[in-house]
């Protein structure tokens, strides 16, 4: 975990839910029922606003919704191809890893999700489950972000990327997979997003049992296995073991992949 999730709410609803300002700049194309690595995603950040000269105002902060690409690319990376291998960071060791430790101190965010998908191994098959809040409220996945500039191209727009923090699964989730996203309840959002806070060890602790026990674990169709499938039916409950046909067309779509990469390159730099 976490390799797929759903992000259905539009920016207007997330603005209200997270007390943020919409700074997505029209880069959100619509609901995504099968968010996969390297796709553009919405993240919540909180930073000191800057004036026209680029100077931050230390007296105030602003919480905004921004678009990033899922799969963290550290500033020191030679190229962005590393992103697909860095969609998750272990909360237990992130503060020590060269790829994540700067972000843990200075560049933290939340990745809102309506739910995430996880696969349970059953013999030779894997049954997908959808994990969500029964009341429809968003799950706030603790995450890290970073900006990357292509070497030798100072005028090129920077790439802004993010990674989900994970922790050991427990309670009913442990029966599906041994890892899960680090979920933060609303009362911890402000501390996690605080740009002036550099020590967050206590916020990296696993979520409360009450938060986990309240989640719904829903068996869903194996159609979610194919990233080309993207519709509301992916979140519908199905009977485990039922035969499910993959409705996606069996053809390659290189143009779509290139467009995702192009969208990622067009993202802006956060202060």
């Amino acid at each position: 975990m976490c390799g797929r999730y759903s992000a259905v709410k539009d920016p207007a609803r997330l603005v209200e839910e997270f007390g943020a300002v919409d700074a997505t700049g029209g880069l959100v194309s619509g609901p995504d029922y099968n968010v996969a690595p390297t796709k553009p995603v919405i993240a919540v950040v909180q930073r000191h606003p800057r004036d026209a000269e680029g100077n931050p105002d230390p007296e105030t902060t602003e919480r905004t919704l921004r678009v990033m690409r899922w799969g963290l690319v550290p500033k020191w990376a030679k190229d962005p191809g590393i992103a697909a291998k860095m969609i998750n960071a272990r909360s237990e060791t992130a503060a020590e890893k060269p790829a994540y430790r700067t972000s843990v101190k200075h560049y933290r965010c939340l990745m809102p999700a309506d739910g995430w998908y996880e696969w349970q191994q059953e013999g030779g098959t894997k049954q997908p489950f959808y994990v969500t809040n029964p009341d429809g409220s968003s799950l706030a996945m603790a995450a890290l972000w970073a900006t990357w500039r292509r070497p030798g191209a100072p005028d090129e727009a920077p790439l802004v990327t993010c990674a989900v923090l994970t922790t050991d699964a427990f309670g009913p989730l442990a029966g599906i997979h041994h890892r899960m996203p680090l979920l933060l309840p609303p009362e911890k959002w402000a501390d996690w997003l605080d740009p002036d806070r550099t020590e967050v060890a206590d916020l990296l602790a696993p979520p409360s049992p009450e938060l986990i026990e309240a989640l719904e674990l829903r068996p869903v169709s194996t159609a979610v296995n194919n990233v080309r499938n993207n519709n509301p039916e992916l979140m519908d409950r199905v009977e485990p073991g039922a035969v499910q046909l993959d409705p996606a067309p069996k053809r390659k779509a290189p143009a779509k992949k290139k467009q995702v990469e192009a969208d990622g390159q067009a993202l802006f730099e956060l202060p």
Side-chain angles (χ1 to χ4, degrees):
M1 195 297 134
C2 166
R4 302 280 183 81
Y5 70 96
S6 67
V8 178
K9 297 184 181 70
D10 60 23
R13 293 183 64 186
L14 294 176
V15 160
E16 181 177 354
E17 193 170 9
F18 286 87
V21 174
D22 184 5
T24 57
L27 294 174
V28 181
S29 59
D32 195 334
Y33 304 95
N34 198 357
V35 182
T38 74
K39 277 188 174 183
V41 298
I42 292 179
V44 183
V45 300
Q46 191 161 316
R47 311 298 291 168
H48 292 289
R50 295 177 180 266
D51 59 23
E53 286 72 39
N55 301 309
D57 180 357
E59 302 300 322
T60 185
T61 61
E62 183 179 56
R63 187 179 297 183
T64 57
L65 302 181
R66 302 295 183 98
V67 175
M68 305 180 183
R69 198 175 78 172
W70 187 16
L72 192 135
V73 180
K75 289 181 180 293
W76 44 260
K78 294 182 179 180
D79 65 73
I82 193 175
K85 298 180 180 179
M86 301 183 69
I87 62 171
N88 295 331
R90 294 177 65 91
S91 61
E92 300 90 342
T93 59
E96 307 164 6
K97 300 293 185 180
Y100 304 118
R101 61 191 178 197
T102 298
S103 293
V104 170
K105 284 190 173 183
H106 304 292
Y107 305 105
R108 300 181 300 275
C109 63
L110 296 172
M111 289 171 62
D114 291 274
W116 83 89
Y117 300 99
E118 198 54 81
W119 283 259
Q120 181 185 54
Q121 185 75 42
E122 290 287 352
T125 63
K126 290 185 177 181
Q127 170 61 51
F129 283 80
Y130 182 61
V131 188
T132 186
N133 264 329
D135 63 5
S137 60
S138 293
L139 301 173
M141 301 188 293
L144 309 173
W145 62 275
T147 58
W148 178 85
R149 289 183 179 275
R150 190 177 303 279
D155 297 328
E156 185 176 292
L159 178 66
V160 184
T161 59
C162 54
V164 176
L165 283 165
T166 67
T167 188
D168 283 335
F170 64 93
L173 293 178
I176 299 177
H177 195 271
H178 67 285
R179 300 292 289 179
M180 67 180 188
L182 177 60
L183 303 178
L184 294 181
E187 60 268 23
K188 291 187 177 182
W189 294 353
D191 286 337
W192 179 254
L193 295 174
D194 184 353
D196 299 317
R197 180 169 178 168
T198 59
E199 297 298 329
V200 293
D202 58 321
L203 298 176
L204 293 172
S208 69
E210 292 77 16
L211 189 154
I212 298 304
E213 290 169 1
L215 298 175
E216 177 187 355
L217 281 63
R218 183 188 307 165
V220 294
S221 168
T222 54
V224 72
N225 297 357
N226 193 320
V227 297
R228 293 194 297 270
N229 293 329
N230 200 324
N231 54 68
E233 288 73 25
L234 295 180
M235 303 184 298
D236 289 347
R237 177 180 291 274
V238 301
E239 290 300 324
V243 176
Q244 297 148 23
L245 300 178
D246 183 355
K250 302 301 182 182
R251 63 174 183 272
K252 296 182 179 179
K256 182 176 181 180
K257 181 178 181 181
K258 291 179 181 179
Q259 182 61 47
V260 169
E261 294 172 351
D263 289 343
Q265 293 294 342
L267 302 183
F268 46 83
E269 184 171 17
L270 297 175

